Amino acid sequence: MQNQINTLKNVFVEHREKVSDKWSAYVAEYDRLFQVYRDQPIRLLEIGVQNGGSLEIWGKFFTNAEKLVGCDINPDCAQLQFDDPKIVIVAANANTDEAQQRILTHSSSFDLIIDDGSHQSGDIVHSFARYFDYLSDGGLYVAEDLHCSYWQEFEGGIFHPFSSMAFLKRLADTINHEHWGIDRTRCDLLRSFTRKFDTTLNELTLAHIHSIEFLNSMCVIKKAAPDDNILGTRFIAGTNALVCKDILQARGTSRTPPDQNTNKWSTRDLPIEEELVVRIQEVDSLNHALSARDEEITKLSQAHAERERELQERLLAAQQELQNIEQSWVDRAAVQERQLLQEKAVLQSQIDALRQALQASEQEKLQQRMASTEQERAASQAHAERERELHEMLLAAQAE
């Protein structure tokens, strides 16, 4: 009873904490869509939380929630703090592997996913391709603010073949895949979108789409097991068939679609407008790549010319430095030569002086030797004279 009185609108009206920004039509639709989940231990993912107020409101509305995960590309959201321990924030671009990994660490699956992110058509397609797999069967995937799909500022326009609304309307056809009557998969139908936005979808994921509901600026996709999404068999009740008696024979039969392989409206690859846009975009992409390559070549040429100029300047500087070194060596060699000549002259003077001193010493020694020899000769003569005198004296003495 309390929950019936305390509607989601009342929760919004009474909310006084962090700011939440939702269109009034959303509040009424969410009250209708989410009532069945209100008392369940749900896990919710909201892409784009701004000031974080919606997460606080979900916490008040889903009182038995297990986990409420918010993701926002604004790094300032990392500063948001919540008293409710069930609420966590991932400040990152939801359409990156790193953000997805961080989100899934808080919960490996979700019962409710709300895309209130950038509203760019490419991001809406990317987010669905990335996170619908992690929606539990029986859960809801909601894309908000689809009015942006009609504006060129958000990759849209009412006839834009790759707007988010064009994608979601094409997605609605996958629900009736069993009636197409042609040998095409659901992925074939969406290939132009996955190619355009460089993402992937698989057949099993698309087989889990149970229903798609469009409201003003909103799309609600319900997920269910593939067996719950087929038309099933003819359920015929009663036994009295007065008008169409053969109808009783159809009880329990399945519907087989007529072959549509000759239907030009079923077998063409792409609508003409979409094919044209694809080709134009391919040409634009090639022109962009050529322009980028031309810019790259220009930058490389400029860098090459700058490099040549730098090398030329360095070569001239090196040559000048070499000349300076050579001149320095020449000047230093001349100085050293002069010093050597001076030192040589000094040494030659010293040698000459030493030679003269040596000659003088040798001459003095020679004179000394000659004087000594003369003295020795005189002494020898004196000795001989003395011996002669003594001999004569001896002979005289003997004679006496």
Side-chain angles (χ1 to χ4, degrees):
M1 187 65 176
Q2 178 64 28
N3 284 346
Q4 293 177 355
I5 296 174
N6 192 18
T7 64
L8 181 59
K9 182 177 180 179
N10 290 337
V11 176
F12 268 90
V13 170
E14 296 172 2
H15 181 69
R16 295 293 181 273
E17 292 83 23
K18 294 178 177 63
V19 171
S20 173
D21 180 15
K22 297 286 184 185
W23 297 104
S24 56
Y26 296 178
V27 177
E29 293 300 336
Y30 281 144
D31 214 354
R32 171 181 66 87
L33 293 167
F34 291 169
Q35 278 297 334
V36 67
Y37 305 94
R38 184 159 190 186
D39 297 322
Q40 298 179 15
I42 62 102
R43 293 147 299 170
L44 179 145
L45 168 63
E46 186 169 24
I47 301 171
V49 299
Q50 203 181 70
N51 292 295
S54 58
L55 291 173
E56 290 183 329
I57 289 174
W58 299 136
K60 296 174 182 177
F61 187 74
F62 297 108
T63 54
N64 295 321
E66 286 186 4
K67 187 65 67 174
L68 304 171
V69 181
C71 181
D72 200 292
I73 196 171
N74 190 336
D76 293 339
C77 288
Q79 303 174 15
L80 294 174
Q81 302 292 325
F82 297 91
D83 295 331
D84 190 341
K86 299 189 297 291
I87 301 175
V88 294
I89 281 285
V90 175
N93 181 353
N95 285 323
T96 62
D97 294 341
E98 182 266 339
Q100 177 181 332
Q101 184 176 4
R102 289 172 59 188
I103 288 170
L104 295 178
T105 58
H106 296 294
S107 179
S108 59
S109 62
F110 297 93
D111 303 290
L112 299 172
I113 298 178
I114 302 171
D115 182 357
D116 188 19
S118 72
H119 313 316
Q120 295 285 335
S121 291
D123 283 337
I124 291 173
V125 174
H126 272 287
S127 294
F128 177 82
R130 186 177 287 271
Y131 292 104
F132 189 73
D133 273 339
Y134 299 99
L135 184 69
S136 301
D137 286 334
L140 298 180
Y141 189 102
V142 182
E144 289 187 356
D145 293 345
L146 292 176
H147 47 264
C148 297
S149 172
Y150 301 99
W151 304 336
Q152 63 180 356
E153 293 82 359
F154 292 86
E155 303 175 292
I158 190 169
F159 298 117
H160 197 301
F162 293 109
S163 70
S164 54
M165 278 297 295
F167 170 74
L168 293 168
K169 285 186 283 188
R170 183 72 61 81
L171 200 64
D173 285 321
T174 65
I175 299 173
N176 295 312
H177 174 256
E178 60 183 306
H179 310 301
W180 290 357
I182 56 175
D183 187 21
R184 296 290 180 88
T185 65
R186 301 171 180 86
C187 290
D188 291 335
L189 186 67
L190 298 167
R191 182 160 290 115
S192 59
F193 289 92
T194 55
R195 181 174 61 180
K196 161 69 176 175
F197 296 113
D198 191 23
T199 187
T200 57
L201 287 165
N202 65 71
E203 195 68 14
L204 181 59
T205 296
L206 298 174
H208 277 263
I209 297 177
H210 180 75
S211 64
I212 298 180
E213 179 182 2
F214 289 98
L215 305 108
N216 193 333
S217 299
M218 292 177 66
C219 180
V220 182
I221 305 171
K222 185 172 183 179
K223 188 173 183 179
D227 288 344
D228 295 331
N229 301 329
I230 59 176
L231 189 61
T233 57
R234 299 285 287 272
F235 195 103
I236 299 175
T239 57
N240 191 356
L242 296 178
V243 178
C244 299
K245 297 180 180 179
D246 293 341
I247 196 68
L248 296 176
Q249 299 176 6
R251 180 182 284 120
T253 61
S254 300
R255 176 69 177 175
T256 301
D259 189 346
Q260 297 299 302
N261 285 301
T262 58
N263 184 345
K264 66 178 182 179
W265 297 107
S266 296
T267 55
R268 70 186 313 159
D269 290 335
L270 293 171
I272 295 175
E273 297 87 352
E274 188 173 321
E275 178 70 25
L276 179 60
V277 170
V278 170
R279 295 294 173 254
I280 291 174
Q281 289 175 338
E282 288 177 350
V283 172
D284 289 343
S285 178
L286 288 173
N287 287 334
H288 179 73
L290 287 173
S291 297
R293 182 59 60 85
D294 288 342
E295 290 179 4
E296 184 179 353
I297 291 173
T298 300
K299 290 180 180 179
L300 288 174
S301 298
Q302 292 174 347
H304 181 68
E306 180 65 21
R307 182 63 175 167
E308 282 189 342
R309 184 187 64 79
E310 180 184 348
L311 290 174
Q312 185 66 26
E313 290 178 353
R314 291 175 63 182
L315 177 60
L316 292 174
Q319 289 175 341
Q320 184 63 45
E321 184 178 359
L322 180 60
Q323 290 176 358
N324 293 338
I325 292 173
E326 288 177 347
Q327 186 61 45
S328 174
W329 286 350
V330 169
D331 294 342
R332 189 181 303 171
V335 171
Q336 290 179 348
E337 184 177 6
R338 287 195 297 271
Q339 291 177 346
L340 289 173
L341 288 174
Q342 292 173 356
E343 292 177 359
K344 181 179 179 182
V346 172
L347 289 174
Q348 188 63 47
S349 267
Q350 292 176 351
I351 290 171
D352 291 343
L354 289 172
R355 184 177 290 115
Q356 291 174 0
L358 181 59
Q359 289 176 353
S361 176
E362 288 179 351
Q363 188 172 3
E364 182 180 356
K365 288 180 180 179
L366 179 59
Q367 290 175 352
Q368 289 178 354
R369 282 200 301 270
M370 290 175 62
S372 176
T373 302
E374 188 63 31
Q375 290 176 358
E376 288 178 356
R377 183 182 300 110
S380 179
Q381 289 175 356
H383 180 69
E385 183 63 28
R386 181 63 177 164
E387 281 186 347
R388 186 183 64 75
E389 289 178 0
L390 290 174
H391 184 69
E392 288 177 355
M393 288 175 65
L394 179 59
L395 291 176
Q398 288 175 352
E400 286 180 4

